[in-house]
Amino acid sequence: MVEIEIDGKKVEVPAGSMVMDAANKLGTYIPHFCYHKKLSIAANCRMCLVEVEKAPKPLPACATPVSAGMIVRSNSDKAVQAQKSVMEFLLINHPLDCPICDQGGECQLQDLAVGYGKGESRYQEDKRVVAPKEAGPLVSMQEMSRCIQCTRCVRFGQEVAGVMELGMIGRGEHSEIVSFVGQSVDSELSGNMIDLCPVGALTSKPFRYSARTWELSRRKSVSPHDGLGTNLIVQVKGGKVKRVLPLENDDINECWISDKDRFSYDGLDSAERLSTPMLKQGNEWKEVDWQTALEYVAHGLKNIKHEHGADAIAALATPHSTVEELALLQKLVRGLGSENVDFRLRQSDFALDADVKPWLGMSIAEFGQIKRAFVIGSFLRKDHPLLATRLRAAVKGGAKLSILHASDDDQLIKIANKMIAAPSDWLAALSEVVAAVAQAKDMAAPAGFEHIVPSAVAGNIAASLLAGEQGAVLLGNAAAQHPQASALHAAAQWIADHTGAKLGYLTEAANTVGGYLVNATAKNAAPAFAAPKKAYILLNAEPELDSANPQAATAALGKAEMVIALSAFKHGMDYADVLLPISPFAETSGTFVNCEGRAQSFNGTVKPLGETRPGWKVLRVLGNILGLSGFDYDTSEAIRDEAFGKGVTDLSAKLSNVATLAPRAAVFAPPSAALERVTDVPIYFADALVRRSAPLQRTADAAAPQAGLSAALAQQLGVKSGDKVKLAQGSGSAILVACVQAGLPANVVRVPAAHPSTATLGGMFASITVEKAGEGI
């Protein structure tokens, strides 16, 4: 540790720290623009000049290393005069458009100009003008004349997002920030550049000119999307959500949020919002009051139970539903005498149900300290944008990442070892890693693995996992949804146990972990819709988009006598009988349990739209009308406390990734002539809210799904990128544009899920046929 003095106060900081770090530790503010605690040092704005004793001139605090006995003055006459001179230079070219600037009221330049700027300018020449840029539907670059070249946006792209989408060209006053060759900014984290910009050069395109910062109320919330549990600040004006920003929490999301979290709020005002209960009568939809709708539902459920038995009733939810909603849903269904309740709509193998309540297996902070990781079956960047940033930072710090997947996507992370194989070969690939670990440790392989000869890549993965401490074997969404999920888990668990690594799941959605904890799962679970029921209660679910097999879902719903949809949006108008409007995350209180087992509660930020009601209240009243006991709750907190105990937030002790299933060996089969499908859930199709966010639906990631083919398969079919192909599974087919993708196994076709254009197809990992579409289609 090194002791220095700043403005008469002594402080100790680690050797190699900068003066700015010491000032931050003391709580001493030094004005700055280019410095940011999460980015590398640029030292190009010079606003943080300070006086250092014995130094001939002021030095930048952000780039001056501490030395023993150093004496620093941040507000001496010499330092303040230097800071004022820098401010004068920064303002000579800055446009005088504060009254119309979206950054007004939260602008660092504006704030510091008050303290360090002069009352009038000595600059007489023409101000420079920078041409506006087009950067896509999320980030506005229309006022780049305001840019002060701090390069925070450039450094964020390189260092955090992993892709340099913006860069600086030119010299002197001709310097400007541009995207590459006119490309748009497409990173799944691009909105963070808006927060980082200290002036009004980069602004939010959806928010642009819609409100002033001082008009907005600020309310804390939690992301309803991926499993991280990102902390949010929801900003409201006139009862409408106007903007969503990150709430800094170093243990979870640091100071970042994904674009999905930032811009999905636009879906709250979608034209598809359901605001009044509706009944289908004689093939016509009619708006009714809540009492009528709920009594109709209760009467229908009682009739079906009477005529067909309680087992004819099923309830299916998405893992984006709150703890309170899932707790009451399972209580309602079990109160009727049925065990058919589940939220794992995309899962197809349930053999681990008796043992496993999956979670990350460590804290998110520990995840960021991983030294060696083996990720199995994950579209990492798009499924888990902020976990990917932590892994990216770990790899930059020397960690080694290995992957097993069916698609060699660019994760924007340096990957040490990769096994790219068809989904049906994942177990064989893991079997080789098991054999390689046993071989490296000179121990007996598990029964059945004795004759497996590991490949060089499997040997490298085993060696990487055995090379030190702080290792992790991580199962992604695709691994959890795989038809052999339990066998993959057993092999991964053996590998983790024998390499000293932790086993974890990169959980799918905001409340996947919470769904397990409140027992919103069937005892003898089977794939959703595998056995058609007479009545379905759907909670936030759009089965044709959210299921492992949309074909089976549509068929089962079409045959049902009654389908009750509790949703914030109008959907399923062809198969539903009742639509009950329930509140999305911004209009209800509730709790999500994130991937590390942390329960985070939140309150509604705006009033429910129209006759919309919080989902837990609807289920509570429905339970009362049905005459079920245990539905006397006054608040969502009462439901949460009953489920977890009052004040309990760390639920990791109730979670377990340990299964009793023994690992089962498999060997690589010769490439089959039959084709198999690998399915990703595109980032902006993953749940009902993002599907209806207009800005997100205009991004490159929300483009219409294409059929990904390997070069060998495309040649065999006589297809090139841009041609149309016909895909068929079971009784359904779809016409998509083909895209030849490097890094796909020869017998694999990549077809995204959760989109209307692919909702006619079958299982996410099932066999599929492809042929060139006829002319004119």
Side-chain angles (χ1 to χ4, degrees), residues 31-86:
H32 59 272
F33 292 112
C34 68
Y35 168 80
H36 191 277
K37 62 184 177 182
K38 296 289 184 182
L39 302 177
S40 63
I41 295 164
N44 53 5
C45 79
R46 318 309 281 183
M47 191 64 212
C48 64
L49 291 175
V50 293
E51 182 184 355
V52 178
E53 196 169 88
K54 297 182 181 176
K57 58 183 180 180
L59 300 174
C62 69
T64 302
V66 297
S67 58
M70 178 184 275
I71 297 174
V72 178
R73 298 181 186 92
S74 69
N75 57 8
S76 66
D77 290 344
K78 187 175 181 180
V80 171
Q81 186 53 49
Q83 292 158 3
K84 285 186 173 181
S85 297
V86 169

Side-chain angles (χ1 to χ4, degrees), residues 177-347:
I177 302 292
V178 296
S179 59
F180 283 89
V181 201
Q183 292 180 346
S184 57
V185 175
D186 295 323
S187 162
E188 60 278 4
L189 302 168
S190 66
N192 291 292
M193 295 178 182
I194 299 166
D195 296 339
L196 286 170
C197 185
V199 295
L202 301 179
T203 54
S204 166
K205 194 170 276 189
F207 174 70
R208 189 171 156 83
Y209 297 149
S210 65
R212 285 299 198 178
T213 180
W214 55 83
E215 300 175 308
L216 300 170
S217 303
R218 290 163 174 76
R219 288 145 196 185
K220 296 178 182 178
S221 192
V222 179
S223 164
H225 302 300
D226 63 44
L228 191 76
T230 299
N231 289 195
L232 308 176
I233 295 174
V234 178
Q235 299 190 332
V236 176
K237 178 188 175 185
K240 294 279 188 185
V241 175
K242 289 292 185 181
R243 190 164 61 163
V244 174
L245 299 175
L247 175 62
E248 186 170 346
N249 186 335
D250 258 357
D251 291 335
I252 299 177
N253 55 295
E254 301 176 281
C255 54
W256 318 122
I257 56 174
S258 68
D259 288 354
K260 179 160 63 170
D261 296 330
R262 185 183 297 273
F263 297 109
S264 68
Y265 72 86
D266 188 82
L268 298 171
D269 296 322
S270 164
E272 293 180 41
R273 273 300 298 269
L274 177 66
S275 59
T276 306
M278 299 179 76
L279 295 182
K280 188 192 282 183
Q281 295 176 334
N283 273 340
E284 281 190 19
W285 284 98
K286 295 183 179 177
E287 295 184 351
V288 296
D289 59 67
W290 271 106
Q291 189 71 22
T292 303
L294 291 175
E295 286 179 355
Y296 179 87
V297 168
H299 181 71
L301 291 174
K302 284 177 180 176
N303 274 356
I304 287 168
K305 179 181 177 180
H306 177 71
E307 292 176 16
H308 305 286
D311 192 55
I313 299 170
L316 298 168
T318 67
H320 303 279
S321 308
T322 65
V323 161
E324 292 79 3
E325 290 168 347
L326 292 175
L328 291 193
L329 182 70
Q330 65 86 21
K331 198 171 188 178
L332 181 99
V333 173
R334 291 192 164 103
L336 288 168
S338 171
E339 276 294 324
N340 303 316
V341 58
D342 219 324
F343 65 91
R344 301 164 297 176
L345 303 189
R346 292 196 176 105
Q347 194 165 317

Side-chain angles (χ1 to χ4, degrees), residues 311-622:
D311 192 55
I313 299 170
L316 298 168
T318 67
H320 303 279
S321 308
T322 65
V323 161
E324 292 79 3
E325 290 168 347
L326 292 175
L328 291 193
L329 182 70
Q330 65 86 21
K331 198 171 188 178
L332 181 99
V333 173
R334 291 192 164 103
L336 288 168
S338 171
E339 276 294 324
N340 303 316
V341 58
D342 219 324
F343 65 91
R344 301 164 297 176
L345 303 189
R346 292 196 176 105
Q347 194 165 317
S348 53
D349 178 3
F350 298 89
L352 296 173
D353 274 10
D355 301 324
V356 171
K357 285 186 170 64
W359 69 299
L360 188 59
M362 65 197 87
S363 71
I364 293 167
E366 284 180 280
F367 179 86
Q369 303 301 316
I370 286 174
K371 298 297 181 193
R372 52 213 170 90
F374 182 25
V375 177
I376 301 163
S378 177
F379 295 92
L380 188 62
R381 264 180 66 203
K382 304 301 181 181
D383 288 347
H384 311 283
L386 291 178
L387 282 177
T389 66
R390 287 194 183 251
L391 202 50
R392 188 174 296 118
V395 169
K396 283 187 175 182
K400 300 293 183 192
L401 172 62
S402 305
I403 64 166
L404 165 60
H405 201 30
S407 176
D408 191 7
D409 293 3
D410 184 3
Q411 303 297 344
L412 304 177
I413 306 173
K414 184 179 178 183
I415 297 173
N417 310 290
K418 60 178 77 168
M419 299 179 86
I420 306 300
S424 59
D425 285 326
W426 287 2
L427 185 56
L430 284 182
S431 298
E432 289 193 358
V433 178
V434 168
V437 169
Q439 197 176 87
K441 293 187 75 175
D442 198 22
M443 61 181 284
F449 289 78
E450 302 89 344
H451 305 297
I452 291 178
V453 180
S455 64
V457 179
N460 291 339
I461 292 172
S464 171
L465 289 171
L466 288 163
E469 296 180 348
Q470 290 177 278
V473 178
L474 301 160
L475 294 152
N477 293 357
Q481 294 157 0
H482 196 283
Q484 295 176 300
S486 55
L488 297 178
H489 176 108
Q493 183 177 316
W494 191 96
I495 293 165
D497 288 346
H498 291 83
T499 58
K502 290 186 175 179
L503 178 67
Y505 275 83
L506 304 171
T507 56
E508 178 185 7
N511 204 31
T512 299
V513 175
Y516 281 97
L517 289 172
V518 297
N519 197 27
T521 55
K523 284 181 181 171
N524 298 304
F529 305 105
K533 304 295 179 184
K534 295 295 182 183
Y536 285 100
I537 305 169
L538 305 177
L539 176 64
N540 291 315
E542 299 175 308
E544 65 276 23
L545 304 178
D546 293 328
S547 301
N549 188 330
Q551 226 173 69
T554 305
L557 291 166
K559 293 175 186 171
E561 290 182 16
M562 188 177 205
V563 177
I564 304 136
L566 286 77
S567 174
F569 303 100
K570 293 177 185 175
H571 71 88
M573 308 292 275
D574 49 345
Y575 56 72
D577 299 285
V578 189
L579 297 179
L580 301 179
I582 62 169
S583 303
F585 86 106
E587 299 172 14
T588 183
S589 58
T591 305
F592 292 131
V593 183
N594 73 354
C595 58
E596 66 177 353
R598 184 191 300 238
Q600 298 186 103
S601 295
F602 56 92
N603 292 315
T605 54
V606 292
K607 288 181 179 178
L609 180 71
E611 291 298 308
T612 301
R613 296 290 181 267
W616 69 268
K617 286 188 177 181
V618 174
L619 291 166
R620 179 198 65 189
V621 174
L622 187 54

